[in-house]
Each structure stands twice: as structure tokens, then as C-alpha cells.
Amino acid sequence: DDKKLDQIIKTIEANDIKFLRLELADIHGLPKSMAVPLKNANDVEDIVNDGLLFDGSSVAGLASINDSDLLAKPDINTFSTIPWRPESKGTSRFICDIYTTEGTPYDGDPRGILKKTLEKAEKRGYQYNVGPEPEFFIIKKDENGNYVPADEAEYFDVEPLDQGTDIRREIVFGLEELGFDVEVSHHEVAAGQHEVDFKYADALKTADAVITFKEAVKAVANNLGVKATFMPKPFIGINGSGMHCNQSLFKDGENIFYDPNTETQVSQEALYFIGGLLKHAQALSAILSPTVNSYKRLVPGYEAPCYIAYGFKNRSTLLRIPASRGLGTRIECRSADPSCNPYLAFSALLEAGLDGMDNKLDPGEPTEENLFAFSEEEIAEKGISNLPTSLWEAYHALEEDDVIIGALGDKVFNQFYNIKRAEWDAYRIQVFDYERDEYLNV
Ligand code: ADP
Ligand code: MG
Ligand code: MG
Ligand code: MG
Ligand code: MG
């Protein structure tokens, strides 16, 4: 670590870095930061060793007002320079772990929660990998001041239909400076919608990357005079934005979801992992699709799942095993959206999967039909249940699921539950134009 620190001090000197941001994420997965001005590059050493005290009660979901003093300690592996800040007198950052003033890891820290779950998997020799596919819209205001998609393009379109090429180009450059291995970027199905995929890594690195990714996309778009949004369903009638989570378990560098000797070349462990994800799907929904708006995305006909099932080629199911094998063998969870907190999401997904492996939960036969072609009754006849259709259903399912509560720990569960209930209560008393259109004449 001393070597890493020396390298960091050298980078700070060489690049004229004047600010050091200490970043953490709130319970919604939104980045928060404090910037320490650097008088001297060596100041970094003290900051890394001592951390910085802050008021945790003002960060959503972190701490209560009567027990609010917390310590942010930089994770030295997360150092990077922020490409969308000025080059001269620039800004670097660390992502922090949160400690109590007694110096113990704080049990309300989402990043700490994920680390704990990962340690559990590591004890069994597993590295849990996640490759996310976060989608977003580039939007602008029309002449009436309403937000609309910034272009009319469709899947894989190119310029001039695709008005996002220059924005994605800047985003990709920025991400590469931040150390991302960008695999592909393209226009998505909906007008104004985009996807930038980056290479999978262990879940902690990926969760940090998701936070940084969203921050980078929003900042770059803002610098170019447009707005980027990760809202799951910003517009009725067109696809919403998901964040499919591709997952695998490696042991000694080998993917244990791959087995060349089965008919599908997918291992029994992978099937049990799926069994766990299916069993806990309802409660997982509260974490993976955590906003009122998430459930407007999870409706039939828009490539987002509504039913708890798995398949191979099927993109209408909650879980999919894509065609790639060997190291690329993975389970894609398609309900997650970019409004989730990635630390909590990956912790919960992993706990659910491990529960499936521990208890040998049989996922049953895969579903290969397009589920959107069936009626509710036909789906029920097949023994397939629904994902929650509202945040209300989801947080009640969470309340009933000890495995997923365990993945959050009591402190985070309580904070999360109370915040989600308040979100639902604030929403359900609203009266919308839609309702006046429908009911004014009753
Ligand atoms: P889709 O067909 O759903 O668009 P993509 O090819 O865009 O899928 O998504 C691929 C994602 O899966 C990338 O983030 C990639 O790095 C990730 N991925 C590939 N192999 C693995 C693996 N073994 N474990 C986890 N994620 C993986
Ligand atoms: Mg993709
Ligand atoms: Mg895709
Ligand atoms: Mg996509
Ligand atoms: Mg996908």
C-alpha cells in the first residue's frame, strides 16, 4: 500500500491536482463528496491514514441525527483523476469506506454491506463478478419547457438520426481516463436512449464503477449542454432504462457456471444460483427496482420483465443465460434498473444466489416462449408468478424475506424500508392529469 500511496502522490504532483474529493454513496446510490484542498501533495498521506469526520445524518439513509458522527476513510484502490473537472488545478478522488468514530466499520454503510457479503463468498473460494448494462436517456426541453428525448433515433442508428454520437464519444473518453474498459456503446431502442457497456469485474469494483459511471455520464452531458437521466421510465409508450446485471462466480480463475459436460454447458451450481434468484425475486425487486417509477418500466411489451422465470434465448423472462460459454457463462438479471444502489443490489443478488446453492433450489424447466404473448391466466396456468407491480408490493415482499434482509443487515434494512414507505406514501396521495381525464365525469 505504501507503494500505491507513493504512486498517487507522484500523480498528484505531476498533474497539478489541487483538490481531493472523498466520495461515498447514499442509500439511493447517489454520489456524495467532500473536497479537500491540497496545499501539498504529501497531504494525501494524512487523509488516507486518518480519514475525514463528517455528519452522517445529512446523507440520505446513512445515520440518525442522534448518532451522526462518522468517519470517511479513502479506499486507496479507488484513486482516479476526474476528467470532467478543469485540467489545470485539477481534482482527484477516492471512494471511501465509512467507519464509526471508534474506528470500526459502520454497519449502515452500503459499500461495507457489500464487502461483508463478498467476504462470505470468498470464504468459499468464490469471486462474484458483475457486468452491468446501464441505459440512460439524453433529454432536452421543448418549446413548452417539457423534457423530451433529444433525438428520434432507434436501435443501433447512426448520425444524423442518432444525436448522441458526440456525447457518447466524450463519455467513452472520460470513462477510459477513469480506467474503464468500455466494451461497446450504441443507441438504444427508445428515442434519445443510449447504452454504454463496460467489462465485468468483481462486484465491489463494479459497484464503484456504476456510481462513477452515472456521475460521469451526467457531468459530461451537462458540460455539453444536454441532460442525461437514469430515471427508469421517463416516457410512457417507449422502452424504459434498465441496468441488466450479468453475474458469474469464479473459483481459482475458472467460471463455475460453466460445465462442458452438461447438455446446455451450464453447471448445476448455476442452476441452483438461479433457483435462489427465483425464490427471492419478489423481495429482490425492492432493491433492484427501488423507485415508484421503476414499476412503470416493468410492464409487458417493452423488453422489461414482468414474470418470475428464466430462459436461455428468451428476453421476456426475468433471468436469461446468454449464449456465451467458458469464462463468459453468466446469468443476466433483467429487472434491475439504474435507480438502484449497486452495493445493495449486488449484495442482495449474491445472497439470493448463494441461498439457492446452499439449499440446492431447483429452478425447474426454462421458459422459452415469449411470455408477453400470453394472458395473465395462461401465465398463471404455467405456474409462473408475477414480479411485484408496485413499490408497495415490493417493500412488503422484502419485509417477509429474511435472506434478503440479511443481505442488507438490520440497520440498512430499517433505513431502506422506512425511506421506501415514505416514498410510496408521498406518491399515493398525488392526483395526476391522467386521473382527471379518466374520472372527471363519473
Ligand atoms: P446483451 O446481449 O444483453 O446486450 P451485452 O453483451 O451487452 O449483453 O452485455 C454483456 C455484459 O456482460 C458486459 O458488461 C460483459 O462484460 C458482461 N460479462 C461477460 N462475461 C461475464 C461474466 N463471466 N460474468 C459477469 N459478466 C460478464
Ligand atoms: Mg448490452
Ligand atoms: Mg442490449
Ligand atoms: Mg440494452
Ligand atoms: Mg442485456
Side-chain angles (χ1 to χ4, degrees), residues 133 135 195 197 243-246 315 320 322 330 332-334:
E133 302 174 66
E135 295 168 331
E195 180 170 314
D197 291 334
M243 185 175 79
H244 298 165
C245 293
N246 295 270
R315 286 171 196 263
R320 184 173 79 98
R330 59 187 186 264
E332 177 186 47
C333 174
R334 301 173 58 81

Side-chain angles (χ1 to χ4, degrees), residues 12-317:
I12 285 177
E13 261 168 1
N15 294 292
D16 186 29
I17 300 299
K18 292 294 183 214
F19 290 95
L20 187 61
R21 278 192 194 176
L22 302 193
E23 289 196 359
L24 44 100
D26 71 8
I27 202 159
H28 308 294
L30 291 172
K32 301 284 159 184
S33 98
M34 308 173 262
V36 184
L38 294 174
K39 290 178 194 77
N40 188 314
N42 291 318
D43 293 353
V44 175
E45 193 170 345
D46 287 342
I47 298 169
V48 165
N49 290 332
D50 304 343
L52 202 66
L53 278 172
F54 70 102
D55 170 11
S57 68
S58 297
V59 178
L62 200 59
S64 45
I65 192 129
N66 55 336
D67 189 15
S68 59
D69 286 336
L70 292 171
L71 188 67
K73 280 192 94 172
D75 178 338
I76 195 166
N77 299 310
T78 62
F79 179 81
S80 60
T81 292
I82 300 182
W84 59 88
R85 297 300 303 153
E87 240 176 78
S88 120
K89 301 195 165 94
T91 304
S92 290
R93 71 90 197 257
F94 286 112
I95 293 177
C96 295
D97 290 310
I98 303 175
Y99 286 76
T100 64
T101 45
E102 283 83 50
T104 51
Y106 177 58
D107 59 359
D109 174 18
R111 192 170 192 265
I113 295 292
L114 174 60
K115 279 179 144 180
K116 243 188 180 163
T117 309
L118 292 176
E119 272 164 28
K120 195 166 147 184
E122 274 158 27
K123 282 208 183 103
R124 302 173 201 195
Y126 299 144
Q127 174 183 317
Y128 175 55
N129 300 305
V130 184
E133 302 174 66
E135 295 168 331
F136 57 93
F137 280 81
I138 303 283
I139 55 177
K140 60 178 188 198
K141 281 198 169 158
D142 69 7
E143 55 281 7
N144 304 317
N146 298 319
Y147 277 117
V148 293
D151 67 33
E152 291 296 320
E154 297 171 8
Y155 197 59
F156 283 6
D157 269 343
V158 295
E159 64 277 67
L161 284 173
D162 174 7
Q163 290 290 302
T165 30
D166 288 338
I167 300 167
R168 286 201 308 277
R169 176 187 150 93
E170 290 307 316
I171 288 169
V172 170
F173 287 149
L175 291 172
E176 283 174 344
E177 273 184 63
L178 285 161
F180 279 70
D181 184 351
V182 176
E183 290 187 334
V184 64
S185 72
H186 58 84
H187 200 284
E188 255 300 341
V189 170
Q193 193 185 31
H194 304 271
E195 180 170 314
V196 179
D197 291 334
F198 50 93
K199 192 173 180 284
Y200 72 92
D202 72 84
L204 183 67
K205 202 169 165 218
T206 299
D208 288 343
V210 167
I211 306 279
T212 307
F213 176 87
K214 289 174 62 183
E215 205 181 341
V217 168
K218 289 180 197 170
V220 169
N222 185 59
N223 283 353
L224 295 173
V226 288
K227 186 176 173 68
T229 178
F230 289 88
M231 182 177 174
K233 185 86 173 187
F235 304 106
I236 187 176
I238 57 177
N239 281 8
S241 291
M243 185 175 79
H244 298 165
C245 293
N246 295 270
Q247 310 159 75
S248 62
L249 284 179
F250 284 7
K251 192 169 195 172
D252 302 325
E254 306 243 358
N255 188 338
I256 69 158
F257 287 174
Y258 174 58
D259 180 352
N261 300 317
T262 69
E263 196 188 323
T264 56
Q265 299 192 318
V266 168
S267 70
Q268 186 59 57
E269 279 93 340
L271 293 175
Y272 289 147
F273 197 97
I274 289 174
L277 293 176
L278 294 175
K279 178 179 174 191
H280 298 290
Q282 308 256 1
L284 278 171
S285 194
I287 318 289
L288 303 178
S289 317
T291 57
V292 163
N293 182 251
S294 296
Y295 295 87
K296 314 232 162 145
R297 169 177 167 258
L298 300 173
V299 297
Y302 297 98
E303 292 183 55
C306 321
Y307 308 110
I308 301 174
Y310 82 102
F312 283 80
K313 301 211 166 107
N314 202 339
R315 286 171 196 263
S316 71
T317 50

